[in-house]
Amino acid sequence: MAEEIVTTETPEKEPFGKRLGANLKERWRKFLVNTKRKPQRLAFFVLLVSTIIWMFGIVYFGQATIYDNVAGMGLCIFVNTMFSILTLLLFMNTFPKRAKHMNYIMLGLTFAFMAVMITCDIVWYLNCYPVHMNAYNTATSQSVLDAVEPGLKAFPLVITHLIFVCISVVMLATLPLYSKLIMKINTSKVIEENKLSEEIDTSAEV
């Protein structure tokens, strides 16, 4: 009696690099799909980064303002801090989840609040930077340098915050334009089918 031998083939494991590449490609595809659904997330992300930058540098802004003692600069910091948070809330309410169209009142307020933040950044920088740098350059003791130096970190941060808020304004204003470009990106998933074929012996058995 002939014994029937059953052999099982184990599928070869794909190389790590190939699996990693496929995983990253799939994550990128899902990111594009989500971006197609809500392209405003790109502008919101930039605005969120600007808020994080401001909150991170608020201690340095305060130190520079206290040392320079320029009238009205504390108000600029307070307004920017408050508007950085409120602008995020306005932005989220500009694009309600189930609404087909954006809320134009919220959109107008978002632009207005961002304009105020840009103005506060410029006013604060133009008033505090010359006073602070003059004190730093004419310092006659180490104690003065130690008092002025922490505030120097505020000026690159306020410029960075200003740039990110301006980018947010541009991205929100051009949202209809790049939304159409994003929609043209092909995000369809290609499914590879493994076709198995068997060779059948048709010769007559003797």
Side-chain angles (χ1 to χ4, degrees):
M1 183 177 179
E3 294 182 357
E4 185 179 352
I5 301 175
V6 180
T7 58
T8 58
E9 295 183 358
T10 57
E12 296 182 359
K13 194 174 182 180
E14 293 183 349
F16 174 76
K18 188 175 181 180
R19 286 186 285 115
L20 179 61
N23 188 23
L24 293 176
K25 186 177 180 180
E26 178 62 16
R27 288 180 180 273
W28 175 248
R29 187 190 70 84
K30 289 181 179 180
F31 169 77
L32 291 177
V33 170
N34 292 329
T35 304
K36 276 186 174 182
R37 293 173 181 171
K38 295 182 178 181
Q40 67 272 14
R41 286 181 176 179
L42 297 177
F44 181 78
F45 175 76
V46 178
L47 186 61
L48 178 61
V49 172
S50 72
T51 302
I52 294 173
I53 292 171
W54 181 265
M55 295 304 174
F56 175 77
I58 193 170
V59 175
Y60 302 116
F61 302 144
Q63 288 177 334
T65 301
I66 292 172
Y67 186 87
D68 295 337
N69 196 24
V70 180
M73 296 305 100
L75 180 61
C76 287
I77 294 178
F78 173 76
V79 171
N80 246 353
T81 303
M82 183 175 61
F83 277 30
S84 293
I85 299 173
L86 291 178
T87 304
L88 295 176
L89 298 176
L90 289 172
F91 194 107
M92 288 187 289
N93 287 308
T94 300
F95 302 92
K97 291 183 178 180
R98 298 181 181 180
K100 294 183 178 180
H101 303 286
M102 67 178 69
N103 189 324
Y104 293 102
I105 296 177
M106 292 296 176
L107 179 64
L109 289 175
T110 301
F111 277 118
F113 276 40
M114 288 193 290
V116 172
M117 287 194 294
I118 292 172
T119 303
C120 287
D121 280 343
I122 295 174
V123 170
W124 186 87
Y125 185 88
L126 293 179
N127 282 275
C128 289
Y129 183 79
V131 177
H132 210 82
M133 291 305 299
N134 182 60
Y136 179 79
N137 293 328
T138 59
T140 56
S141 64
Q142 186 62 38
S143 60
V144 176
L145 289 175
D146 293 339
V148 174
E149 190 171 0
L152 295 177
K153 299 178 182 178
F155 302 109
L157 287 173
V158 77
I159 291 297
T160 306
H161 177 259
L162 176 63
I163 292 172
F164 271 87
V165 175
C166 290
I167 293 175
S168 301
V169 172
V170 174
M171 292 187 70
L172 186 56
T174 58
L175 178 60
L177 178 62
Y178 65 81
S179 294
K180 295 180 180 179
L181 297 177
I182 293 174
M183 292 301 295
K184 294 181 180 180
I185 300 176
N186 184 16
T187 55
S188 57
K189 186 175 182 179
V190 179
I191 302 176
E192 296 182 357
E193 295 181 357
N194 296 323
K195 297 182 179 180
L196 302 176
S197 60
E198 292 182 352
E199 291 185 3
I200 302 175
D201 188 4
T202 57
S203 60
E205 296 181 3
V206 179

